[in-house]
Amino acid sequence: MASREGGRTLIIWRHGETDHNASGMWQGQLDTALSDKGREQARNAAVALAAYRPSVIVSSDLQRAADTARSLASRVGLQVRHDERLREVHAGLWQGLTAGDVAEQFPAEQAALLAGQDIPRGVHGETVGQVAQRTRAAVDELLADLPPGECAVVATHGVAGRTVVAGLVGLDQHVAW
Protein backbone atom coordinates (compact mmCIF):
# COMPACT_ATOMS: atom_id res chain seq x y z
CA MET A 1 0.00 0.00 0.00
CA ALA A 2 1.26 3.48 -0.86
CA SER A 3 2.19 5.88 1.90
CA ARG A 4 -0.45 8.41 2.89
CA GLU A 5 1.78 10.65 5.01
CA GLY A 6 0.71 13.94 3.43
CA GLY A 7 -2.26 12.88 1.37
CA ARG A 8 -5.67 11.61 2.26
CA THR A 9 -7.44 8.56 0.88
CA LEU A 10 -11.11 8.56 -0.11
CA ILE A 11 -12.77 5.29 -1.06
CA ILE A 12 -16.20 5.35 -2.70
CA TRP A 13 -17.88 1.98 -2.13
CA ARG A 14 -21.08 0.84 -3.81
CA HIS A 15 -23.39 -1.29 -1.68
CA GLY A 16 -23.74 -5.03 -2.24
CA GLU A 17 -26.41 -6.63 -4.39
CA THR A 18 -30.12 -6.45 -3.57
CA ASP A 19 -32.92 -8.51 -5.03
CA HIS A 20 -33.98 -5.37 -6.92
CA ASN A 21 -30.51 -5.07 -8.50
CA ALA A 22 -30.53 -8.72 -9.47
CA SER A 23 -33.92 -8.40 -11.16
CA GLY A 24 -33.09 -5.17 -13.04
CA MET A 25 -35.43 -2.91 -11.08
CA TRP A 26 -35.00 0.80 -10.53
CA GLN A 27 -34.52 1.09 -6.76
CA GLY A 28 -33.86 4.78 -6.44
CA GLN A 29 -34.56 5.69 -2.84
CA LEU A 30 -36.63 2.62 -2.02
CA ASP A 31 -35.17 1.29 1.22
CA THR A 32 -34.33 -2.25 0.14
CA ALA A 33 -32.21 -4.82 1.96
CA LEU A 34 -29.12 -6.59 0.76
CA SER A 35 -29.62 -10.05 -0.69
CA ASP A 36 -27.65 -13.01 0.69
CA LYS A 37 -25.19 -12.46 -2.14
CA GLY A 38 -25.01 -8.74 -1.29
CA ARG A 39 -24.19 -9.47 2.36
CA GLU A 40 -21.43 -11.84 1.21
CA GLN A 41 -20.09 -9.19 -1.19
CA ALA A 42 -20.03 -6.63 1.63
CA ARG A 43 -18.17 -8.99 3.97
CA ASN A 44 -15.61 -9.85 1.28
CA ALA A 45 -15.05 -6.22 0.34
CA ALA A 46 -14.72 -5.27 4.02
CA VAL A 47 -11.75 -7.62 4.34
CA ALA A 48 -9.96 -5.82 1.51
CA LEU A 49 -10.96 -2.31 2.64
CA ALA A 50 -9.83 -2.91 6.22
CA ALA A 51 -6.24 -2.96 4.91
CA TYR A 52 -6.57 0.78 4.21
CA ARG A 53 -7.13 1.39 7.95
CA PRO A 54 -10.02 3.83 7.56
CA SER A 55 -10.48 6.42 10.27
CA VAL A 56 -14.03 7.30 9.27
CA ILE A 57 -16.88 5.51 7.52
CA VAL A 58 -19.83 7.48 6.16
CA SER A 59 -22.85 5.91 4.53
CA SER A 60 -26.11 6.68 2.88
CA ASP A 61 -28.90 6.17 5.39
CA LEU A 62 -30.65 3.65 3.12
CA GLN A 63 -30.29 0.17 4.60
CA ARG A 64 -28.49 -1.46 1.67
CA ALA A 65 -25.61 1.02 1.91
CA ALA A 66 -25.74 1.25 5.71
CA ASP A 67 -25.53 -2.54 6.07
CA THR A 68 -22.65 -2.64 3.60
CA ALA A 69 -20.82 0.00 5.66
CA ARG A 70 -21.47 -1.87 8.91
CA SER A 71 -19.63 -4.90 7.54
CA LEU A 72 -16.46 -2.78 7.45
CA ALA A 73 -17.17 -0.86 10.64
CA SER A 74 -17.48 -4.05 12.69
CA ARG A 75 -14.19 -5.31 11.26
CA VAL A 76 -12.22 -2.12 12.06
CA GLY A 77 -13.99 -1.03 15.25
CA LEU A 78 -15.59 2.17 13.97
CA GLN A 79 -19.09 3.61 14.04
CA VAL A 80 -20.83 4.45 10.76
CA ARG A 81 -21.98 8.02 10.27
CA HIS A 82 -25.08 8.33 8.08
CA ASP A 83 -25.71 11.13 5.63
CA GLU A 84 -28.91 11.18 3.59
CA ARG A 85 -27.17 13.29 0.93
CA LEU A 86 -25.38 10.08 -0.11
CA ARG A 87 -28.66 8.40 -1.08
CA GLU A 88 -29.24 7.04 -4.56
CA VAL A 89 -30.90 9.16 -7.24
CA HIS A 90 -34.60 9.57 -6.54
CA ALA A 91 -36.17 7.78 -9.50
CA GLY A 92 -39.70 9.11 -9.02
CA LEU A 93 -42.35 6.94 -10.67
CA TRP A 94 -39.70 4.52 -11.93
CA GLN A 95 -38.87 3.24 -8.46
CA GLY A 96 -39.84 -0.42 -8.28
CA LEU A 97 -40.18 -0.78 -12.06
CA THR A 98 -37.93 -2.83 -14.32
CA ALA A 99 -36.01 -1.18 -17.15
CA GLY A 100 -38.47 -2.81 -19.57
CA ASP A 101 -41.44 -1.36 -17.68
CA VAL A 102 -39.87 2.10 -17.79
CA ALA A 103 -39.16 1.84 -21.53
CA GLU A 104 -42.76 0.79 -22.17
CA GLN A 105 -44.49 3.27 -19.87
CA PHE A 106 -42.18 6.28 -20.33
CA PRO A 107 -40.95 6.22 -23.94
CA ALA A 108 -40.50 10.00 -24.24
CA GLU A 109 -38.41 10.14 -21.08
CA GLN A 110 -36.32 7.17 -22.22
CA ALA A 111 -35.69 8.88 -25.56
CA ALA A 112 -34.62 12.07 -23.75
CA LEU A 113 -32.15 10.13 -21.62
CA LEU A 114 -30.76 8.34 -24.66
CA ALA A 115 -30.33 11.74 -26.32
CA GLY A 116 -28.18 12.83 -23.37
CA GLN A 117 -30.67 15.08 -21.60
CA ASP A 118 -30.40 15.24 -17.81
CA ILE A 119 -34.09 15.00 -17.04
CA PRO A 120 -35.67 14.13 -13.70
CA ARG A 121 -35.85 10.35 -13.42
CA GLY A 122 -39.40 9.04 -13.20
CA VAL A 123 -41.05 12.40 -13.99
CA HIS A 124 -40.72 13.93 -10.51
CA GLY A 125 -37.43 12.41 -9.34
CA GLU A 126 -33.95 13.89 -9.52
CA THR A 127 -31.56 14.73 -12.31
CA VAL A 128 -27.99 13.47 -12.23
CA GLY A 129 -26.93 17.09 -11.80
CA GLN A 130 -28.98 17.35 -8.61
CA VAL A 131 -27.49 14.10 -7.30
CA ALA A 132 -23.99 15.35 -8.11
CA GLN A 133 -24.60 18.57 -6.21
CA ARG A 134 -25.86 16.95 -3.01
CA THR A 135 -23.35 14.08 -2.96
CA ARG A 136 -20.43 16.38 -3.67
CA ALA A 137 -21.47 18.66 -0.78
CA ALA A 138 -21.40 15.66 1.57
CA VAL A 139 -17.99 14.50 0.34
CA ASP A 140 -16.52 18.02 0.43
CA GLU A 141 -17.55 18.33 4.10
CA LEU A 142 -16.04 14.93 4.85
CA LEU A 143 -12.76 15.81 3.16
CA ALA A 144 -12.57 19.19 4.90
CA ASP A 145 -12.51 17.38 8.25
CA LEU A 146 -10.23 14.50 7.19
CA PRO A 147 -6.68 15.00 8.51
CA PRO A 148 -3.64 14.36 6.32
CA GLY A 149 -2.67 10.71 6.16
CA GLU A 150 -6.18 9.48 6.99
CA CYS A 151 -8.60 7.32 5.00
CA ALA A 152 -12.36 7.78 4.68
CA VAL A 153 -14.73 5.21 3.22
CA VAL A 154 -18.07 6.31 1.76
CA ALA A 155 -20.69 3.58 1.29
CA THR A 156 -23.23 4.72 -1.27
CA HIS A 157 -25.06 3.69 -4.44
CA GLY A 158 -24.35 3.28 -8.14
CA VAL A 159 -25.49 6.63 -9.54
CA ALA A 160 -24.57 8.55 -6.38
CA GLY A 161 -21.09 7.04 -6.33
CA ARG A 162 -20.46 7.69 -10.02
CA THR A 163 -21.46 11.33 -9.65
CA VAL A 164 -19.04 11.83 -6.76
CA VAL A 165 -16.13 10.19 -8.55
CA ALA A 166 -16.86 12.00 -11.81
CA GLY A 167 -16.99 15.33 -10.00
CA LEU A 168 -13.75 14.71 -8.12
CA VAL A 169 -11.79 13.76 -11.23
CA GLY A 170 -13.43 16.32 -13.52
CA LEU A 171 -15.23 13.81 -15.73
CA ASP A 172 -18.42 14.94 -17.48
CA GLN A 173 -21.47 13.45 -15.73
CA HIS A 174 -22.96 12.26 -19.02
CA VAL A 175 -19.76 10.36 -19.83
CA ALA A 176 -19.71 8.88 -16.31
CA TRP A 177 -23.32 7.75 -16.67
Side-chain angles (χ1 to χ4, degrees):
M1 174 170 40
S3 170
R4 298 188 311 220
E5 284 184 30
R8 299 168 295 170
T9 301
L10 175 65
I11 298 171
I12 306 297
W13 185 18
R14 183 186 181 271
H15 63 79
E17 180 191 81
T18 68
D19 290 336
H20 279 67
N21 295 138
S23 64
M25 287 183 143
W26 278 83
Q27 285 179 106
Q29 292 186 7
L30 295 177
D31 201 9
T32 56
L34 294 172
S35 64
D36 290 341
K37 181 178 179 180
R39 285 187 288 280
E40 180 182 351
Q41 290 169 333
R43 285 190 302 271
N44 290 339
V47 171
L49 293 176
Y52 288 91
R53 298 183 317 274
S55 57
V56 63
I57 302 169
V58 183
S59 171
S60 158
D61 62 339
L62 297 176
Q63 68 177 314
R64 58 192 183 269
D67 289 348
T68 296
R70 270 193 292 280
S71 66
L72 176 60
S74 65
R75 179 168 285 281
V76 298
L78 293 173
Q79 294 293 315
V80 177
R81 292 186 350 215
H82 298 100
D83 189 329
E84 69 182 22
R85 294 174 297 176
L86 297 170
R87 285 181 175 188
E88 183 58 295
V89 61
H90 192 292
L93 298 174
W94 298 354
Q95 294 183 161
L97 299 179
T98 66
D101 293 337
V102 170
E104 181 181 309
Q105 296 175 33
F106 299 92
E109 290 83 356
Q110 282 293 93
L113 286 178
L114 290 173
Q117 296 176 33
D118 189 21
I119 63 167
R121 278 28 179 196
V123 181
H124 67 279
E126 290 179 293
T127 66
V128 169
Q130 290 169 324
V131 176
Q133 185 176 19
R134 70 172 160 79
T135 57
R136 182 62 189 262
V139 168
D140 284 348
E141 283 179 24
L142 171 63
L143 290 174
D145 293 336
L146 189 66
E150 298 293 327
C151 174
V153 175
V154 173
T156 189
H157 308 269
V159 174
R162 279 193 301 275
T163 64
V164 168
V165 172
L168 289 170
V169 302
L171 184 64
D172 178 82
Q173 291 293 342
H174 181 69
V175 172
W177 181 263

